[in-house]
Amino acid sequence: MIRHFLKVRDLTKEEFKFLLNRSIELKSGVDRLKCPLIGKSIGMIFEKPSTRTRISFEVAIYQLGAHPIYMSPRDLQLSRGETIKDTAQVLSRYLDGIVIRTFSHSTVEEFSSFSQIPVINALTDNHHPCQAVADIMTILEKKGDLEKILIAYVGDGNNVANSLIEASALVGAKIHIATPEGLEPLKECIDWAKNHTQVKLFNDPYEAVTNADVVYTDVWISMGEEGNQDKKNKFKGFQINSSLLKKAKNDAIVMHCLPAHRGEEITDDVIDGPQSVVLDQAENRLHTEKAILEFLLGM
Ligand code: CP
Ligand code: NVA
């Protein structure tokens, strides 16, 4: 059966844990010279910019022995109106897997419904599942027992927040989410996660961050929302700065999926400070993309 990875909750708890352990193993370098995907070709369609996701996937694909093919949508017939159905069916005849970053989540759902090869969501407006695997891997490395961890996410209830909530639920980490009113994460993600872990919503970041082990934020204006600058005004008080960080545990780590808008959702002293793990978090994208590719495309 073809497996796609469109959102975190497409995986079982056991599969998610397997990905975390395999990512740590791959990071150690034990299988560095093995090329389990040799002879395969993996497409990458990116309708939004990307630094980490695109490069980590290209390097991961190369290191696993496969061939990455980056496709800008304007170079595909999709830009001239060819349907997603036809594109998915045709690319399935050439490729062994496809990584897609796009706007509407329904686009990856439609693509996967016609695809004969695994589809990996490299970010949609609603979900960023590959990011969440690297996020939890980073927390596991830094903090150990995930069931004892309190994650506090402060900011916009966006794609990153939705996937982080689902991932926290799969590993049993408690999660607090502080957003301005009306900018909460998707209800379907919260409701699903509440069946697996403790999820609490706040409008007060100070309350949400109190005694947290992890303080996480993301941009206030996501890709595709650039026309909605008024939204920024709703985030007064939601910046991760030294005063907010003091409410968390003394050894709390600070996370951000990057790219950051320094001086908006996070201050320079915090993102560059001793509690920040953002560069390890970014590095872990490479190891987790490899584990995801191996898992979906077969070792
Ligand atoms: N975190 C992340 O997905 O970054 P990019 O947009 O650079 O891929
Ligand atoms: N929420 C951000 C994440 C970027 C990696 C966005 O969608 O632009």
Side-chain angles (χ1 to χ4, degrees), residues 48-50 52-53 101 122-125 127-128 131 153 156 158-161 218-226 256-259 285:
K48 291 173 174 173
S50 172
R52 282 140 288 269
T53 311
R101 170 170 285 198
L123 181 147
T124 61
D125 292 344
H127 295 273
H128 197 1
Q131 179 69 52
Y153 176 95
D156 189 23
N158 59 16
N159 42 13
V160 168
D218 183 21
V219 292
W220 294 337
I221 305 289
S222 283
M223 291 179 278
E225 295 185 326
E226 289 82 359
H256 192 309
C257 60
L258 305 178
R285 294 296 306 276

Side-chain angles (χ1 to χ4, degrees), residues 20 26 34 109 112-113 117 141 186 234 241 251 260 271 273 291:
L20 294 175
L26 286 163
K34 290 197 185 145
E109 287 177 335
S112 65
S113 72
I117 54 175
E141 281 181 328
L186 288 177
K234 300 189 175 161
N241 51 35
D251 63 350
I271 197 167

Side-chain angles (χ1 to χ4, degrees), residues 222-237:
S222 283
M223 291 179 278
E225 295 185 326
E226 289 82 359
N228 186 8
Q229 293 295 321
D230 289 349
K231 186 179 169 193
K232 265 190 206 167
N233 302 330
K234 300 189 175 161
F235 290 97
K236 199 168 176 321

Side-chain angles (χ1 to χ4, degrees), residues 87-194:
T87 307
Q89 292 187 124
V90 170
L91 291 180
S92 296
R93 301 286 178 112
Y94 306 135
L95 300 169
D96 299 285
I98 189 150
V99 178
I100 302 178
R101 170 170 285 198
T102 188
F103 292 84
S104 169
H105 191 71
S106 63
T107 302
V108 288
E109 287 177 335
E110 186 182 350
F111 199 104
S112 65
S113 72
F114 295 111
S115 177
Q116 296 301 310
I117 54 175
V119 175
I120 300 174
N121 175 4
L123 181 147
T124 61
D125 292 344
N126 290 0
H127 295 273
H128 197 1
C130 299
Q131 179 69 52
V133 183
D135 295 343
I136 301 292
M137 176 189 173
T138 310
I139 299 171
L140 181 61
E141 281 181 328
K142 306 288 177 192
K143 292 283 163 199
D145 192 350
L146 292 166
E147 291 184 11
K148 294 196 176 130
I149 292 300
L150 171 62
I151 301 170
Y153 176 95
V154 176
D156 189 23
N158 59 16
N159 42 13
V160 168
N162 292 330
S163 291
L164 185 66
I165 292 169
E166 293 188 351
S168 304
L170 280 185
V171 298
K174 291 190 275 300
I175 184 159
H176 288 178
I177 310 280
T179 67
E181 218 177 311
L183 295 177
E184 292 79 12
L186 288 177
K187 187 174 176 313
E188 64 180 59
C189 300
I190 296 165
D191 289 347
W192 178 84
K194 277 185 173 168

